Amino acid sequence: MHSPISRRNMLQTSGALAATALGLSAAHASSSKTLKGNINQSVVHWCFKKYWDIDKTAQVASQLGIKSVELTPAENWKTLQKHGLTCAIASSHGFKVGFNNPDNWDQCIEILRKRIDECAAGGVKNVITFTGMRDGISDDEGAKNCVAGLKKIIGYAEKNNVNLCLEMLNSRDSSHPMKGHPGYQGDHTDYCIDIIKQVGSDRMKLLFDIYHVQIMDGDVIRRLHEHKDYIGHVHTAGNPGRGELDMKQEINYPPIMQALLDIGYQGFVGQEFIPTRDPYEGLKEAVILCDV
C-alpha cells in the first residue's frame, strides 16, 4: 500500500525537481564552456537585429561560445572587440547590384575598396560580393562581366590580404525578400565557382550558403568536397523557410559540419536563420548542433 503524500514531501519533491531543472538549465546555459570548438561559429547580425542591438548580440554570442558577429558595419567592430569577438565577414554593395552589369562596376568597386580598407585596419578577413540581378543579361554575358569587373578590384584585395567572397543565392523562393531572390544571376554553385576560377586569385572565394545550395543544387557534402579550395565562408539556415536548424526542416547539419572538418575548412560558419520563436533558444540549439 502506498503511503500518503504529505505536504512536506510534496514540497521536498518539488524542490528537488526544481533544483534538477535549474541544474540542467545551468548546464545548458553554460554549454559554451564545453563546446568542442572545432567549428568557428558566427552569428549574422541582420537576422537578430529586431531582438538585440549590437552590444546585446555580442553578449549573447560570447555567452554561447560564438566567436564572431558578422555583416555588421565597421563602426560596430570595436563593440565586438570589447567582447572578445571578431567580424567574420563584412557587408558590401548588396545582392541586387553586382558585377554582372558593367554599369554597376564603379559603384561596387568604390564600396568594396572602402570596405577592404576597413577590413585591413580592423583585422577582418572577408568581404561579401554578389553577381547582381539578371535584368535581361544572359548567364554567359553576366559571368563574363563578373570576371572582368572583379578583376578590377581583386588586386586591391590581394594587396590588403582580404578575401572577396562571392555568394550564391537561391532564386526559387519568392515567399519573402530574404528567403529567396528571384532573378539573382549567381543562383547555382557551379556558375559562381566558374567565375571564381576565371578571376584566378587566391583571394577570390565562394560564400557557400548551405540553405541556398540545398534549394538550388542539393548534394551539399559532395559539393563541399568538390569546391573545398574555393570556400571562403559558410552560412546556415533551415530549409524550407530559412528558420531554425531544428526538426521542422530537412538539412542534416552535423554531418555537413563534419564534412567541413574533413576538407580542412578553418573559416567561419555563420548562423543566418530567421527566428520563428525565442531567438536565444534557437541560436543556442543551432550552436550546439553545429559543434561537432
Side-chain angles (χ1 to χ4, degrees), residues 3-262:
S3 61
I5 300 174
S6 69
R7 183 171 181 273
R8 172 180 286 183
N9 288 338
M10 287 183 65
L11 289 172
Q12 287 174 339
T13 301
S14 298
L17 288 173
T20 300
L22 285 170
L24 288 172
S25 176
H28 203 188
S30 64
S31 60
S32 64
K33 306 299 183 185
T34 58
L35 290 179
K36 299 180 186 74
N38 297 322
I39 298 291
N40 296 314
Q41 297 197 48
S42 177
V43 58
V44 181
H45 187 217
W46 73 262
C47 301
F48 297 87
K49 200 170 184 178
K50 67 180 284 188
Y51 306 101
W52 308 321
D53 62 17
I54 189 62
D55 191 66
K56 179 62 176 178
T57 305
Q59 289 179 37
V60 168
S62 181
Q63 289 168 8
L64 293 178
I66 297 171
K67 300 176 182 178
S68 156
V69 178
E70 63 181 74
L71 298 180
T72 191
E75 56 263 31
N76 290 335
W77 296 353
K78 285 188 177 180
T79 299
L80 303 185
Q81 292 167 2
K82 183 179 70 175
H83 292 276
L85 308 177
T86 187
C87 176
I89 188 167
S91 58
S92 65
H93 50 82
F95 64 85
K96 292 183 178 180
V97 177
F99 282 96
N100 66 336
N101 187 339
D103 291 343
N104 299 329
W105 285 359
D106 288 347
Q107 177 184 348
C108 292
I109 289 170
E110 180 182 358
I111 293 171
L112 281 172
R113 182 177 284 268
K114 178 182 178 183
R115 206 66 76 241
I116 290 167
D117 287 341
E118 291 171 344
C119 287
V124 174
K125 301 298 183 184
N126 298 305
V127 181
I128 199 169
T129 189
F130 303 93
T131 65
M133 308 302 275
R134 283 190 173 87
D135 293 334
I137 300 170
S138 72
D139 285 353
D140 286 346
E141 181 184 1
K144 181 180 177 182
N145 290 340
C146 281
V147 172
L150 287 164
K151 282 186 174 181
K152 292 181 176 293
I153 186 64
I154 195 64
Y156 196 69
E158 291 169 344
K159 178 182 176 182
N160 287 279
N161 298 316
V162 173
N163 299 320
L164 299 185
C165 296
L166 178 65
E167 184 167 21
M168 174 269 194
L169 302 173
N170 93 78
S171 59
R172 293 186 67 188
D173 191 329
S174 59
S175 67
H176 181 282
M178 291 305 291
K179 292 182 181 181
H181 309 287
Y184 184 74
Q185 191 139 49
D187 59 352
H188 285 284
T189 312
D190 290 344
Y191 184 84
C192 291
I193 286 290
D194 187 58
I195 291 170
I196 290 165
K197 287 180 177 179
Q198 289 188 61
V199 173
S201 169
D202 289 341
R203 291 293 174 183
M204 190 74 231
K205 300 292 186 181
L206 176 70
L207 198 167
F208 192 104
D209 189 306
I210 297 165
Y211 163 76
H212 291 301
V213 172
Q214 171 69 4
I215 291 174
M216 298 302 297
D217 298 323
D219 208 10
V220 171
I221 291 176
R222 191 192 312 269
R223 293 182 189 283
L224 287 172
H225 281 269
E226 288 177 346
H227 305 313
K228 62 182 181 180
D229 295 334
Y230 301 98
I231 298 172
H233 193 69
V234 175
H235 279 161
T236 73
N239 183 59
R242 198 168 192 168
E244 292 85 356
L245 315 190
D246 58 20
M247 296 300 290
K248 296 180 180 179
Q249 59 89 40
E250 67 188 8
I251 305 174
N252 191 8
Y253 271 96
I256 293 174
M257 295 298 109
Q258 184 59 53
L260 287 171
L261 297 181
D262 292 344

Side-chain angles (χ1 to χ4, degrees), residues 252-274:
N252 191 8
Y253 271 96
I256 293 174
M257 295 298 109
Q258 184 59 53
L260 287 171
L261 297 181
D262 292 344
I263 64 174
Y265 178 72
Q266 296 180 344
F268 278 85
V269 173
Q271 301 287 359
E272 197 183 23
F273 61 86
I274 300 172

